[in-house]
Amino acid sequence: MQPASAKWYDRRDFVFVEFCVEDSKDVKIDFENSRLVFSCHGGTDNSKYSNEVKLFQSIEPNESRHKRTDRSVLCCLRKGESGHSWPRLTKEKEKLNWLSVDFNNWKDWEDDSDEETSNFDRFSEMMNNMGGEDDLPEVDGADDASTHNEDSPDSDDDKMPDLE
């Protein structure tokens, strides 16, 4: 039995822990008030993985969830006290060789106010509000094939000379 490699990151109301085990089977996760226990079989050699983490602060076990994919198991831990950042995942200041910070998903949310939306969230909202091609607004003076007139005095579409 060996520990699965894992990455974690912090958010205002949740802490996310991703156990990186491909083709996991028999996944068992126990969310406890101050502890997370993970175990499964997986990988190309169907190894047994087991991890136990004594958490930095308490969580809400009944509101914590996990999702299994072909490449990993992502755990979403609901913080017992929302709005407090976790400087580390573990209660003790210890370096676990199987655990690392997920810098690709890390966000310094402490500086954001509750009313502010991150740039990514604003961009996502803007993209969702945009319609498809059929929803484009009419623009005055737009060049349209049905209204294009070759005799127009503004036409600069002179015939091009043949290439030599």
Side-chain angles (χ1 to χ4, degrees), residues 71-152:
R71 296 191 163 263
S72 65
V73 178
L74 180 64
C75 298
C76 178
L77 311 176
R78 172 71 124 166
K79 290 182 178 179
E81 288 186 49
S82 294
H84 295 326
S85 67
W86 288 22
R88 61 185 179 275
L89 181 65
T90 58
K91 184 175 188 78
E92 303 298 322
K93 284 187 177 182
E94 58 184 312
K95 175 64 178 150
L96 302 172
N97 61 354
W98 53 266
L99 182 64
S100 63
V101 174
D102 187 351
F103 288 107
N104 291 332
N105 288 307
W106 192 269
K107 177 183 170 188
D108 288 330
W109 54 265
E110 295 170 300
D111 298 333
D112 295 345
S113 68
D114 288 336
E115 300 84 31
E116 275 188 38
T117 311
S118 71
N119 289 338
F120 178 76
D121 292 337
R122 281 186 288 218
F123 178 74
S124 296
E125 183 179 330
M126 179 185 73
M127 293 302 288
N128 288 335
N129 290 335
M130 292 180 69
E133 288 182 9
D134 296 336
D135 297 333
L136 293 176
E138 290 293 324
V139 180
D140 290 337
D143 195 30
D144 188 0
S146 63
T147 61
H148 185 68
N149 184 354
E150 288 186 20
D151 297 330
S152 169

Side-chain angles (χ1 to χ4, degrees), residues 2-17:
Q2 60 188 353
S5 64
K7 302 182 287 188
W8 80 282
Y9 60 98
D10 183 36
R11 288 291 191 269
R12 184 176 308 279
D13 300 322
F14 297 94
V15 172
F16 294 88
V17 182

